[in-house]
Amino acid sequence: MAGKKTRSEASTSRGGGGGNGDRGESVVMDVGRRKSTCGYCRSGARTSISHGLWVDTLTVDHYQALIDRGWRRSGCFLYKPEMEKTCCPSYTIRLKASDFFPTNEQSRASKRMQSINSPARCIFETSIISRFRMLQMVSCNAAHDQNAGPAAMECSVVASEDKENDDQRIRFLSGQIDKIVQLCLKSVELPKASVKKVPPAKRKLQADISEDLIYTSSIAFQIAAKIKRTKKNIENEKSVQRVLGEKEDSEELSPKRIAEILASYSKQLGDSCGLSVRACNGHINFYSAAEQAQLVEKTGRHVITKPSHVESDKPQGQKRRLEIRLKKSCFDYEEYSLYRKYQLQVHNDTPAHVTESSYKRFLVDTPLVYVSPSDDGAVPPCGFGSFHQQYVVDGKLIAVGVFDILPKCLSSKYLFWDPDFAFLSLGKYSALEEIRWVSQNQVHCPSLQYYYLGYYIHSCSKMRYKAAYRPSELLCPLRYQWVRYDIAKPLLDRRKYVVLSDFAALQNGDSFPLNVLDNDMEEEQNSIQEEPNDVSTNDDEMAELDSEDSDDESDSDASVAATTEMEDVDLSNVLIGLKEARLRYKDLRHAFDSNQRKVLESHLQRYTRVVGSELSREMVYSLG
């Protein structure tokens, strides 16, 4: 894409650096079952049940194997939902990047960002409604423009006969209002904004006694009519409401409201001409003090000051600069400031809960051992590890994607963005960009084929948007086989927890045996609706539950059950870490008495069950 740069930046990431062929070791501490309140169904009770591991260091190969068993990380904490017991079963979802094909809405999101690289003002070329909301945002900032003071004004004195003087003022004011409108409504077919002189007999009708109404413009009525026609062309009423940010019958985009926005943006324009600007019933009115109006009528002289900020936007035809910067995970205050703004405005978090320390724990700290790039095609040019991808427009950070790059995939973790740029559908665009990245880097690293979107929660409507990235697959929670989403969906429509691999034969075109589920049907807690047409401006990423804030709960019954279930598992080769020593359990078993062995083995059985026998032999189970 023209005008876009991709840049990798070296930075320090927790976990140290591993050279080529040296991927370090994984050291974990098992914390067992954890219960917490659920951030998805918000039941209020501790109904979210998972198994947790604190991780000191973790190799990318081991983390790849863990996410292929349903694990996910939050900072340096790993968790795996207990799918049969948790309130909202969470299925790992992925897609093969080379097979991906975008929906129409995803394609439109890509085009919105591509418009950044067309002439500068075309960054606002989305829908007319979105563009006018951007005008509202710009108008709120206009009053704080520090470059529009007297020193930045270019003054000229106009002296002529009254009629000629009025004509020049009207042309000047009309031209400036037209520029304000076109700033955000460029390419929309609207009549040019015009300002008309108010006859002297009507000047006092709506003006204060100390003022005269000199000029007026009705452009707001024409804009409102255009918006009304545009809204009628949008089939989904809910998508209209999301774009507007409130109910469809709102007066936000009425002529009256539009005139108020334009008037606020035109305030300095009026000041420069010795006029006050106010909106009245959909009209933009220019008022002048009675004494000045009389002076103008008598002398035909008026000082016109041209505000430079109206003229100083990027020249027509100059392109905005979009940069995508990939860097290793590290704390960046600019990123944190954007994250805080996003959490407060989009997720309505309280300021006390959005701190530097909580941000670092959630999105900066990582146990992954960084692997440097290699020339043998085994590692991509950026290496393996945890990364932040910045989206920057003209030097302004507007979004940050947080993800891990692993031997087989890019695993997306979180995205936060500037709410002022919600109209760009940054959630959709960042996902498309990450999928594109996988496809491009597969050339350098053939094993890198998949894009993991985290957890798919069918019982949570806000998480269903992930299935729109297709063709996707869900991970079977029992046998860890991948099953096509189109096969899994009718099963999940009937039950929240399903052993998907039981129906793997359906991928070969077999008929769907609905009666299999009929005898053990579970009712959903709520009526599940399909995801609205466009969630990109609000909930592209549901906040992951920060597991470290959930409560530990010892569960002896669960331990006993695990012991019974896994009594035939061989624990002899489980790798144990005792300070700096690394020993197999068979070599350490004699060091414990019978009671200690019984307790430890119950924990090792449970640990082996959740990570798998192979990883239990490779990762270090730390005893402190």
Side-chain angles (χ1 to χ4, degrees):
M1 187 165 62
K4 181 177 73 176
K5 293 175 60 180
T6 301
R7 185 172 77 203
S8 294
E9 299 176 358
S11 61
T12 302
S13 175
R14 185 171 180 228
N20 294 338
D22 176 17
R23 299 195 178 185
E25 69 172 0
S26 299
V27 181
V28 304
M29 180 177 292
D30 186 15
V31 296
R33 170 181 286 185
R34 294 166 68 89
K35 292 185 177 182
S36 68
T37 57
C38 181
Y40 300 109
C41 66
R42 302 188 184 279
S43 65
R46 295 194 303 167
T47 56
S48 179
I49 304 173
S50 63
H51 194 106
L53 297 172
W54 278 111
V55 184
D56 184 20
T57 59
L58 184 65
T59 70
V60 293
D61 300 280
H62 288 158
Y63 187 46
Q64 177 71 67
L66 285 169
I67 64 173
D68 285 337
R69 290 183 62 88
W71 290 83
R72 187 159 170 79
R73 75 174 186 90
S74 175
C76 294
F77 185 79
L78 269 62
Y79 57 101
K80 181 182 187 296
E82 292 193 9
M83 298 285 280
E84 291 183 87
K85 299 177 181 179
T86 192
C87 56
C88 296
S90 306
Y91 297 82
T92 302
I93 183 171
R94 75 176 187 181
L95 64 87
K96 194 171 185 178
S98 59
D99 294 339
F100 171 71
F101 56 92
T103 63
N104 290 338
E105 181 57 33
Q106 290 162 358
S107 297
R108 284 193 290 269
S110 180
K111 290 178 181 178
R112 291 187 193 111
M113 285 297 288
Q114 289 172 3
S115 68
I116 286 180
N117 293 312
S118 60
R121 293 182 179 121
C122 289
I123 185 174
F124 305 113
E125 289 185 10
T126 54
S127 68
I128 182 174
I129 300 174
S130 298
R131 276 171 269 157
F132 196 82
R133 284 185 57 77
M134 176 53 64
L135 174 59
Q136 181 176 7
M137 181 191 76
V138 174
S139 71
C140 293
N141 296 331
H144 303 288
D145 190 346
Q146 300 299 318
N147 296 323
M153 303 288 186
E154 178 187 351
C155 300
S156 61
V157 178
V158 178
S160 61
E161 296 297 325
D162 291 353
K163 185 176 185 306
E164 182 182 351
N165 185 47
D166 274 336
D167 288 344
Q168 289 192 29
R169 285 199 298 273
I170 288 171
R171 285 196 298 271
F172 172 71
L173 293 174
S174 298
Q176 295 304 312
I177 290 182
D178 192 59
K179 287 180 179 179
I180 291 170
V181 173
Q182 292 301 319
L183 175 66
C184 290
L185 301 180
K186 183 175 174 62
S187 81
V188 176
E189 295 182 2
L190 285 173
K192 282 190 172 294
S194 62
V195 173
K196 296 182 180 179
K197 185 175 181 179
V198 179
K202 297 182 178 180
R203 290 182 180 179
K204 287 292 184 182
L205 293 180
Q206 295 180 331
D208 293 338
I209 193 164
S210 61
E211 293 181 314
D212 279 346
L213 175 58
I214 307 297
Y215 307 107
T216 187
S217 174
S218 60
I219 185 63
F221 290 90
Q222 300 168 60
I223 295 174
K226 181 69 175 181
I227 290 175
K228 186 176 182 180
R229 290 193 296 271
T230 302
K231 286 170 64 178
K232 288 182 179 179
N233 293 332
I234 301 178
E235 296 179 359
N236 191 332
E237 181 178 344
K238 291 183 179 180
S239 68
V240 176
Q241 294 172 2
R242 273 194 304 280
V243 173
L244 299 181
E246 53 186 80
K247 295 181 179 179
E248 189 185 12
D249 59 1
S250 167
E251 294 184 356
E252 181 187 23
L253 297 180
S254 65
K256 180 179 179 180
R257 180 61 186 136
I258 294 171
E260 289 172 351
I261 295 170
L262 292 175
S264 68
Y265 195 90
S266 305
K267 184 179 183 301
Q268 290 182 337
L269 169 63
D271 292 343
S272 71
C273 299
L275 303 171
S276 61
V277 184
R278 293 198 299 275
C280 182
N281 295 328
H283 294 274
I284 305 169
N285 293 337
F286 295 82
Y287 300 92
S288 178
E291 296 81 359
Q292 183 178 0
Q294 294 172 4
L295 179 63
V296 170
E297 291 292 336
K298 291 179 180 178
T299 65
R301 297 176 63 85
H302 194 90
V303 176
I304 298 179
T305 308
K306 298 181 181 180
S308 62
H309 77 283
V310 176
E311 303 284 354
S312 64
D313 200 351
K314 289 183 178 292
Q316 197 75 9
Q318 182 172 335
K319 295 181 179 180
R320 291 186 182 268
R321 180 189 179 100
L322 169 64
E323 290 185 272
I324 299 179
R325 304 171 181 172
L326 181 64
K327 64 179 205 174
K328 291 167 64 179
S329 180
C330 66
F331 180 77
D332 182 310
Y333 189 80
E334 185 180 15
E335 289 184 4
Y336 164 67
S337 298
L338 179 60
Y339 169 79
R340 182 176 175 85
K341 180 179 181 181
Y342 170 78
Q343 293 295 133
L344 296 181
Q345 294 187 25
V346 176
H347 289 291
N348 298 315
D349 286 357
T350 59
H353 286 86
V354 188
T355 63
E356 282 191 27
S357 58
S358 66
Y359 168 69
K360 289 177 181 177
R361 287 196 304 269
F362 180 32
L363 295 178
V364 178
D365 291 348
T366 174
L368 294 185
V369 179
Y370 177 70
V371 178
S372 301
S374 63
D375 298 327
D376 58 3
V379 183
C382 63
F384 290 138
S386 300
F387 296 85
H388 287 197
Q389 183 149 281
Q390 299 180 336
Y391 297 83
V392 182
V393 175
D394 288 348
K396 178 180 176 60
L397 182 67
I398 65 170
V400 177
V402 182
F403 50 74
D404 297 319
I405 298 177
L406 305 174
K408 296 180 181 179
C409 72
L410 183 154
S411 176
S412 180
K413 177 171 173 54
Y414 203 69
L415 175 82
F416 52 94
W417 36 265
D418 191 331
D420 294 338
F421 289 83
F423 69 98
L424 286 175
S425 299
L426 291 165
K428 286 188 177 72
Y429 180 76
S430 66
L432 297 175
E433 185 65 25
E434 288 166 9
I435 294 170
R436 183 196 64 80
W437 185 93
V438 174
S439 296
Q440 287 187 344
N441 281 271
Q442 190 175 354
V443 176
H444 306 290
C445 181
S447 67
L448 192 61
Q449 300 183 39
Y450 292 95
Y451 178 60
Y452 283 54
L453 295 88
Y455 286 140
Y456 172 80
I457 304 176
H458 196 69
S459 57
C460 178
S461 62
K462 289 185 177 181
M463 298 297 284
R464 289 191 176 185
Y465 74 90
K466 295 184 178 183
Y469 297 89
R470 59 194 187 204
S472 56
E473 302 173 303
L474 300 183
L475 184 67
C476 173
L478 181 63
R479 299 185 183 90
Y480 308 116
Q481 299 173 4
W482 294 97
V483 177
R484 292 201 323 259
Y485 173 78
D486 60 325
I487 299 299
K489 182 182 182 303
L491 302 168
L492 295 174
D493 284 340
R494 301 170 68 81
R495 292 185 59 186
K496 290 194 293 185
Y497 172 73
V498 180
V499 179
L500 298 176
S501 57
D502 286 348
F503 303 87
L506 298 176
Q507 299 190 102
N508 298 321
D510 294 354
S511 60
F512 183 71
L514 291 177
N515 61 308
V516 173
L517 298 177
D518 287 343
N519 295 330
D520 192 24
M521 182 85 91
E522 291 184 24
E523 291 188 6
E524 300 290 348
Q525 292 179 346
N526 300 293
S527 177
I528 303 301
Q529 302 294 326
E530 287 299 322
E531 186 65 14
N533 184 47
D534 184 4
V535 298
S536 65
T537 58
N538 292 311
D539 290 293
D540 272 330
E541 277 297 339
M542 185 83 167
E544 292 289 351
L545 180 63
D546 194 344
S547 298
E548 67 183 8
D549 291 335
S550 57
D551 299 316
D552 279 335
E553 179 170 301
S554 60
D555 194 328
S556 58
D557 292 339
S559 298
V560 172
T563 303
T564 302
E565 180 182 349
M566 299 296 293
E567 60 186 1
D568 59 339
V569 172
D570 181 10
L571 300 178
S572 59
N573 287 313
V574 174
L575 186 59
I576 305 295
L578 190 59
K579 295 184 178 180
E580 300 300 320
R582 302 291 183 260
L583 300 169
R584 298 294 175 183
Y585 179 64
K586 62 184 179 182
D587 300 322
L588 189 63
R589 188 175 181 275
H590 66 278
F592 303 100
D593 61 34
S594 59
N595 289 331
Q596 290 175 327
R597 280 199 303 272
K598 182 178 180 181
V599 173
L600 178 58
E601 288 180 3
S602 71
H603 288 294
L604 291 178
Q605 292 276 4
R606 180 184 58 193
Y607 167 72
T608 303
R609 173 169 58 92
V610 293
V611 303
S613 297
E614 183 176 352
L615 288 179
S616 73
R617 295 191 296 268
E618 296 178 1
M619 299 193 304
V620 179
Y621 183 96
S622 177
L623 293 179

